[in-house]
Amino acid sequence: MAIKVIITDGDPMLRQKSKDIVEITDRTVKLLDNMVETMRDAEGVGLAAIQISHPLRLAVIDIGEGLIELINPELVECTGEQTGLEGCLSVPGLYGKVTRSDRIMVKTLNRAGEEVHIDAENFLARAIQHEMDHMEGKLFTDIAEETYDAAMIEEEVEKERAEETANKEKAINEH
Ligand code: ZN
C-alpha cells in the first residue's frame, strides 16, 4: 500500500467525469487499498479515486462506523433533506453549509464484484453523496449556501468548549 498525493481545487482533473470500472482487477484492488491508506493518513472520512488522479468511479468512506467501498455506485432512492457543514480533502481550509438528501439507497459493487445495496442516513448519506459528486466532477463549494474559513470554525468550536467548561465549573461551584 502507498500514500498518494491528494490533488486540490484548481487542478482541472477534479472537474473531469470519472469512468465506470469495467472489470475489477488486481490493479483496482491495489488502488482501493491506496485510497484507504491515503484517506486515513489525511484523517479524512472519504476519498474518491479522482482525488488521487484516477478518474474512475471508485470511492472509500469511513465515518468511524467501518469501511465502505463504492465501485460504480448508483443512487436508487433519495428522501428528505439535511443541511450541515461539509469539508473536503481537496478543498483544504474551507467548510461549507450544504443541503443534501437525508436518506439514500445506493446500489454498488463490492471488491468481489457482487452487487450490494447500502441504506444510509444523516452523515453517512452526506458522505456518500459528497463522494458521488466527485465522480461527476463536482465539489461541495459548487452547491454550498455559504462557505467558512476552517480557522474560524475551529475558533468557534474552541469558544463553545471554553464556555461549556466554564458553565460546568460554575455548576460544580454552585453545588
Ligand atoms: Zn471531497
Side-chain angles (χ1 to χ4, degrees), residues 14 46-48 51 86-91 130-131 134 138-140:
L14 280 174
L47 188 80
Q51 292 179 273
E86 214 168 293
C88 178
L89 293 173
S90 291
V91 190
H130 177 113
E131 297 315 325
H134 274 301
K138 283 194 237 161
L139 295 174
F140 79 88

Side-chain angles (χ1 to χ4, degrees), residues 49-66:
I50 197 159
Q51 292 179 273
I52 57 166
S53 306
H54 290 271
L56 297 168
R57 291 176 48 81
L58 292 175
V60 295
I61 294 169
D62 191 348
I63 63 160
E65 296 173 357

Side-chain angles (χ1 to χ4, degrees), residues 58-101:
L58 292 175
V60 295
I61 294 169
D62 191 348
I63 63 160
E65 296 173 357
L67 179 67
I68 291 176
E69 293 179 332
L70 301 176
I71 303 172
N72 302 344
E74 278 173 52
L75 270 179
V76 179
E77 242 179 72
C78 314
T79 52
E81 221 178 68
Q82 57 167 318
T83 302
L85 273 189
E86 214 168 293
C88 178
L89 293 173
S90 291
V91 190
L94 214 63
Y95 287 102
K97 191 178 165 190
V98 181
T99 300
R100 295 194 183 274
S101 298

Side-chain angles (χ1 to χ4, degrees), residues 15-69:
R15 296 306 186 174
Q16 270 185 41
K17 246 182 120 155
S18 292
K19 291 209 166 78
D20 268 336
I21 295 286
V22 179
E23 193 192 350
I24 300 166
T25 63
D26 289 349
R27 281 178 64 189
T28 320
V29 170
K30 197 174 157 206
L31 178 55
L32 282 167
D33 286 341
N34 288 341
M35 286 164 64
V36 172
E37 199 175 357
T38 304
M39 170 182 72
R40 298 226 155 110
D41 176 69
E43 295 179 352
V45 295
L47 188 80
I50 197 159
Q51 292 179 273
I52 57 166
S53 306
H54 290 271
L56 297 168
R57 291 176 48 81
L58 292 175
V60 295
I61 294 169
D62 191 348
I63 63 160
E65 296 173 357
L67 179 67
I68 291 176
E69 293 179 332

